[in-house]
């Protein structure tokens, strides 16, 4: 998550006497938001009694009992998950609580996304509950999320290394957060470097495919072939390699059409890459013109058809593609 979208409860003030709605399909962000609210509850009252439950099978009377106070604590925090499964009686009790919140209760409601329960969500919003949306991050925000995760753990990494990790691990935020945690523990001086990411995640197919494409498009034939042979030996699916190459060629074609227009952020958004990637692409583009790019498109399309069954030897088809594309770049 880019730091500009990092969720905080700082502006919530005291969580007591409020109903907090956490809504959206991004589970990691939802869970963190709930924990932030509970942390604020404990900071204000270390003796707070915390109760967690699911809306599934929970009735309105059950909620009333949970929010009626405790004999053992002056204040309570109640978390109700799976709000999409709320019954009619529970929905009515929640709306009543939103209309007349108890000053000693922090009520946190979690809706994991989707249209189910939308009517209740709309009514809660009209009641002006504190609303924290947790929507999936856009691809261009993932590098910022990785950088933020590193800072949370007292580590740091450069944007290209963050992108390398995203390429290796994928877009699942829990997986990315876990990967950063692992790397931060092994970064001797707190700096997560490219070689450390490679050591931990070099078996990931996405990294291999894009490494091959970057080397070939830069005219580094020997490196591209070495990466290709290593990828095939470790079981990378051929279609992932042609897909990465197609993405690289398509990106150069788009970049060639926007040269001199807009700032880097706008250009990167149009092409669908992070801004830091433009430097590498511009260096590659110095070797390419429209004629060569058109030729590369045909070479990649032929190889893609071959690895999907048009040819008997996928490895040979890939090697031919890499050689010919790299030679085009090297001229």
């Amino acid at each position: 998550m880019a730091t500009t979208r990092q969720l905080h409860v700082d502006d919530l003030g005291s969580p007591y006497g409020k109903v907090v709605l956490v809504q959206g399909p991004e589970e990691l962000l939802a869970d963190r938001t709930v924990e932030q609210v509970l942390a604020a509850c404990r900071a204000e009252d270390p003796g707070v009694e915390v109760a967690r439950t699911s809306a599934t099978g929970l009735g309105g009377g059950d909620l009333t009992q949970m929010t009626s106070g405790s004999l053992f604590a002056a204040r309570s925090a109640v978390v109700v998950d799976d709000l999409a499964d709320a019954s009619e009686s529970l929905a009515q009790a929640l709306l009543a609580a939103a209309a007349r919140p108890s000053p000693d209760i922090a009520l946190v409601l979690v809706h994991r996304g989707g249209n189910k329960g939308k009517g209740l969500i709309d009514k809660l919003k009209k009641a002006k509950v504190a609303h924290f949306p947790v929507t999936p991050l856009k691809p261009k925000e993932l590098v910022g999320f990785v950088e933020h995760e590193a800072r949370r753990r007292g580590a740091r990494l450069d944007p290209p290394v963050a992108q390398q990790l995203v390429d290796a691990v994928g877009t699942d935020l829990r997986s990315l957060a876990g990967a950063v945690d692992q790397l931060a523990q092994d970064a001797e001086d707190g700096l997560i470097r490219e070689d450390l990411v490679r050591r931990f995640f070099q078996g990931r197919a996405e990294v291999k495919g894009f490494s091959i494409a970057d080397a070939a498009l830069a005219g580094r034939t020997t490196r591209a072939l070495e990466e290709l042979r290593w990828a095939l030996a470790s079981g990378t699916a051929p279609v992932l390699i042609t897909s990465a190459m197609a993405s690289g060629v398509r990106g150069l074609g788009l970049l060639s059409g926007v040269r001199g227009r807009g700032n880097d952020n706008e250009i990167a958004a149009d092409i669908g890459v992070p801004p830091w990637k433009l430097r590498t692409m511009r260096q590659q583009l110095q070797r390419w013109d429209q004629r060569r790019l058109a030729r590369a498109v045909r070479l990649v399309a032929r190889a893609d058809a071959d690895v999907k069954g048009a040819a008997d030897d996928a490895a040979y088809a890939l090697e031919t593609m890499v050689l010919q594309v790299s030679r085009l770049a090297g001229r």
Side-chain angles (χ1 to χ4, degrees), residues 129-169:
V129 301
H131 181 220
F132 289 85
V134 285
T135 55
L137 302 190
K138 298 176 182 178
K140 64 182 180 181
E141 295 177 298
L142 294 173
V143 167
F145 172 80
V146 169
E147 292 175 313
H148 178 79
E149 289 298 298
R151 287 193 295 272
R152 288 179 79 231
R153 291 160 175 80
R156 65 193 189 282
L157 75 176
D158 293 330
V161 179
Q163 183 64 55
Q164 179 191 11
L165 186 61
V166 172
D167 291 340
V169 175

Side-chain angles (χ1 to χ4, degrees), residues 223-259:
R223 175 64 180 272
L225 289 174
E226 288 175 349
E227 293 278 356
L228 173 63
R229 289 161 186 164
W230 174 61
L232 293 175
S234 57
T236 300
V239 70
L240 293 178
I241 298 171
T242 55
S243 175
M245 187 72 79
S247 177
V249 173
R250 182 169 57 250
L252 291 184
L254 291 171
L255 181 59
S256 70
V258 297
R259 278 191 279 197

Side-chain angles (χ1 to χ4, degrees), residues 39 41 63 84:
C41 290
L63 180 74

Side-chain angles (χ1 to χ4, degrees), residues 59 96 167 171 181 191 212 219 224 249 252 261 315:
D167 291 340
T171 60
D181 183 59
L191 178 62
I212 295 164
V249 173
L252 291 184
R261 293 188 296 167

Side-chain angles (χ1 to χ4, degrees), residues 142-221:
L142 294 173
V143 167
F145 172 80
V146 169
E147 292 175 313
H148 178 79
E149 289 298 298
R151 287 193 295 272
R152 288 179 79 231
R153 291 160 175 80
R156 65 193 189 282
L157 75 176
D158 293 330
V161 179
Q163 183 64 55
Q164 179 191 11
L165 186 61
V166 172
D167 291 340
V169 175
T171 60
D172 180 72
L173 297 192
R174 286 195 190 278
S175 297
L176 282 171
V180 173
D181 183 59
Q182 184 179 28
L183 292 166
Q185 293 181 46
D186 284 76
E188 295 179 359
D189 55 359
L191 178 62
I192 300 173
R193 296 180 171 83
E194 179 182 353
D195 59 345
L196 186 62
V197 176
R198 281 186 174 274
R199 182 170 11 122
F200 274 97
F201 301 104
Q202 64 181 1
R204 300 292 183 125
E206 295 88 348
V207 169
K208 298 192 187 89
F210 287 108
S211 294
I212 295 164
D214 280 344
L217 292 171
R220 298 162 63 192
T221 306

